[in-house]
Amino acid sequence: MDKTQHSSAGFQCFLFPCFTYIAEVMENSARKQQARVLRNFRKIHRITGIILFVFFIILGVTGILLGWKKNSGGLIQAKTHSGSTKGLSGWLPLDSLQHIAVTAIRSEISRDISTEIDKIDIRPEKGMMKVIFKDHYHGLQIDGVTGAILHREYRTSDLIEHIHDGTIIDNWLNLPGGAFKLFYTAFTGFATIVFSVTGFWLWYGPKRMRKH
């Protein structure tokens, strides 16, 4: 072996450990970075879970109740009763039906109760209408032809829905434009996304580290 070949071989012997060392350093650095990211995600996940624990319980319970409201046997949402006839033929004027509803709610609940109507839900196929009031959860089902009160109800499903989306705080504090509802739904929605992403990474991150 001449001097040039000997020098080249020596140089390669010198470089190989250097490249090996650099590769190990880079690999260790990458693993440390992955571990750091994993720790950060775990911290975010834990803090998010602590902050949202109560909100998630409320959303979960109210969501289940709302999903089952039509199959609750009238406990959450009252059965829709039928009037004396089907269709709109022979119905009393709406202002007369409204007067009947206002008189009935005052006589049945309280003379001082709010009588402002939020919505009238007309059901021609049932021959009746539902009267929903704005400032409380009492409601009436009225025969469209005779004006008879078919059912008096406390609209539990509306109360649960307002707890679910935060409207109940707006009503309680009399906030304009559903301010709390907008904040609450945006906050819980964003937090749910963060919680889902960090939870996925806590599952996938260790698998990725072991693979590499």
Side-chain angles (χ1 to χ4, degrees), residues 69 74-81 130 141 151 153-154 157:
K69 65 182 181 180
L75 293 176
I76 299 176
Q77 180 171 290
K79 172 187 173 184
T80 300
H81 295 256
K130 296 182 179 183
Q141 298 184 24
H151 184 67
E153 61 181 319
Y154 187 82
S157 61

Side-chain angles (χ1 to χ4, degrees), residues 137-187:
Y137 297 103
H138 296 283
L140 298 170
Q141 298 184 24
I142 303 177
D143 189 309
V145 174
T146 66
I149 305 299
L150 300 174
H151 184 67
R152 300 170 183 83
E153 61 181 319
Y154 187 82
R155 298 183 61 83
T156 307
S157 61
D158 288 354
L159 172 61
I160 294 172
E161 183 178 345
H162 288 173
I163 294 173
H164 184 76
D165 65 11
T167 301
I168 192 169
I169 303 298
D170 286 318
N171 294 341
W172 183 39
L173 299 178
N174 198 27
L175 298 177
F180 183 82
K181 176 183 177 180
L182 292 175
F183 165 77
Y184 177 73
T185 52
F187 173 73

